[in-house]
Amino acid sequence: MVRPQRFDEGASRSVRRLGRETQGTGAAGRGAPFSYGHARRSTPEREHVRSLVIAHPARVSCHLSSRGRLRVRLARVPQLRPRPPAAADAQAPGSQATGDTAIRPFRINVPEAALVDLRRRIAATRWPDKETVPDRSQGAQLAKIQELVRYWGTDYDWRKAEAKLNALPQFVTKIDGLDIHFIHVRSPHPNALPLIMTHGWPGSVLELVKVIGPLTDPPAHGGRAEDAFDLVLPSMPGYGFSGRPQETGWGPDRIGRAWDELMRRLGYTRYVAQGGDWGAVVSDVMARQAPPGLLGIHVNMPATVPPDIAKALQSGEPPPP
């Protein structure tokens, strides 16, 4: 992961070494292009560049070469200042904060009657006839779907998932008239880099729970303290325990502005953003909006496809040479 206090030095070193590995070129200075698409072996430099979280469009530009290699140009990134105290710390359980900007503690408690009713409705599923072929050429196979539904109706333990979420610091705050639910986990290490992560569709913050430990406390997982993050994991509007919009307009642009407001409300004046699937779309939008506090983004769903590849995907043609 990125060293918050020495990012420019470490990243530039990785770029130079990776450039020699993958392109056979001499050592390059800051801002030199590199390619990792055809690297055959894993190296610390390659893993460093691959995992860069500071990827602001104003500082990192990417394009595909004619040979299909991803080329990246890295510019200088300023050092981070020590993090400010987060507002959620001052508004923990028992807080007296009031008004539309209040950050309220949140705990999940789904009524047992709702779970019983859900299981009853799952058990009452009316099934179609079995397919007439032994493969999936007619679609999803009945036996597979029945096994999946049986699992959700009888084996899945919602209370276990509920307890896992309730063990984390959860909050709700109203932004632009809508309640936004989020998990906020502060790193125990100083100068941790604030990071807001957005889940995908159809998903929830549950898909991000496994990364909380490694990102907030890297030494406990074989990493380094200087790679630590303060994590903010919001539920998108209409998802999970965030409020359901009562009007149109809650698209990626509005969500991006809401996420910046959330980070500022938590006391973070400088932060980075990450997302996959629809979370990647929101993170991309935030980069275009370029709020003053956003240092950079990282997405694991690139949205740029070369025109010839896009044409082949849409028409079903063979991949271009």
Side-chain angles (χ1 to χ4, degrees):
M1 278 297 179
V2 181
R3 299 180 182 180
Q5 296 298 326
R6 293 183 290 172
F7 169 81
D8 186 62
E9 173 190 355
S12 297
R13 187 184 307 115
S14 295
V15 168
R16 292 196 295 271
R17 292 176 181 172
L18 194 60
R20 291 197 296 271
E21 174 192 348
T22 59
Q23 293 188 354
T25 60
R30 275 187 174 85
F34 68 91
S35 166
Y36 66 83
H38 290 181
R40 298 300 184 187
R41 58 188 175 88
S42 178
T43 66
E45 291 76 28
R46 185 184 179 195
E47 295 305 317
H48 184 184
V49 174
R50 178 186 292 169
S51 63
L52 290 182
V53 174
I54 308 295
H56 197 286
R59 302 183 179 113
V60 176
S61 60
C62 307
H63 69 277
L64 288 174
S65 70
S66 59
R67 301 180 65 181
R69 291 184 174 182
L70 178 66
R71 297 174 63 84
V72 182
R73 188 172 295 276
L74 176 67
R76 186 176 180 84
V77 178
Q79 290 186 343
L80 294 177
R81 298 174 182 173
R83 60 180 175 173
D89 289 348
Q91 297 185 6
S95 169
Q96 299 301 312
T98 59
D100 286 344
T101 62
I103 296 174
R104 313 185 303 274
F106 181 82
R107 185 173 178 82
I108 305 167
N109 184 21
V110 175
E112 184 63 27
L115 299 178
V116 171
D117 179 61
L118 177 59
R119 295 189 188 102
R120 178 191 60 78
R121 288 184 284 120
I122 291 175
T125 300
R126 296 181 62 185
W127 297 104
D129 294 335
K130 185 179 183 299
E131 62 277 2
T132 58
V133 294
D135 53 34
R136 293 180 292 177
S137 60
Q138 293 181 345
Q141 294 171 297
L142 179 62
K144 295 287 187 181
I145 296 298
Q146 287 177 325
E147 175 61 22
L148 180 64
V149 171
R150 185 203 61 77
Y151 167 77
W152 284 108
T154 61
D155 292 354
Y156 182 74
D157 187 353
W158 165 250
R159 293 303 181 194
K160 182 179 179 180
E162 191 176 79
K164 181 183 295 186
L165 289 173
N166 283 335
L168 299 167
Q170 298 179 87
F171 303 90
V172 171
T173 189
K174 191 176 294 293
I175 300 177
D176 201 5
L178 193 68
D179 274 345
I180 298 297
H181 162 264
F182 63 98
I183 296 171
H184 184 202
V185 181
R186 297 287 302 273
S187 171
H189 304 287
N191 299 319
L193 179 63
L195 167 63
I196 183 167
M197 300 183 71
T198 309
H199 63 81
W201 174 92
S204 73
V205 293
L206 266 173
E207 67 193 49
L208 303 175
V209 167
K210 289 184 179 180
V211 305
I212 292 177
L215 291 179
T216 59
D217 191 10
H221 299 267
R224 301 173 300 180
E226 56 264 41
D227 296 334
F229 295 89
D230 281 351
L231 287 187
V232 179
L233 313 177
S235 297
M236 288 198 291
Y239 286 71
F241 301 99
S242 283
R244 181 173 68 88
Q246 301 299 308
E247 59 184 0
T248 60
W250 272 100
D253 289 272
R254 194 167 178 180
I255 295 174
R257 290 191 295 270
W259 280 189
D260 178 62
E261 168 61 25
L262 175 59
M263 296 302 279
R264 288 187 289 111
R265 191 172 295 182
L266 291 172
Y268 295 126
T269 58
R270 308 181 78 189
Y271 65 92
V272 293
Q274 195 279 337
D277 196 79
W278 269 102
V281 177
V282 172
S283 299
D284 282 338
V285 165
M286 293 179 70
R288 293 197 299 271
Q289 293 171 339
L294 181 62
L295 296 175
I297 68 168
H298 173 275
V299 300
N300 53 295
M301 190 187 76
T304 301
V305 180
D308 54 344
I309 295 178
K311 180 181 178 182
L313 289 173
Q314 294 172 358
S315 63
E317 299 174 356

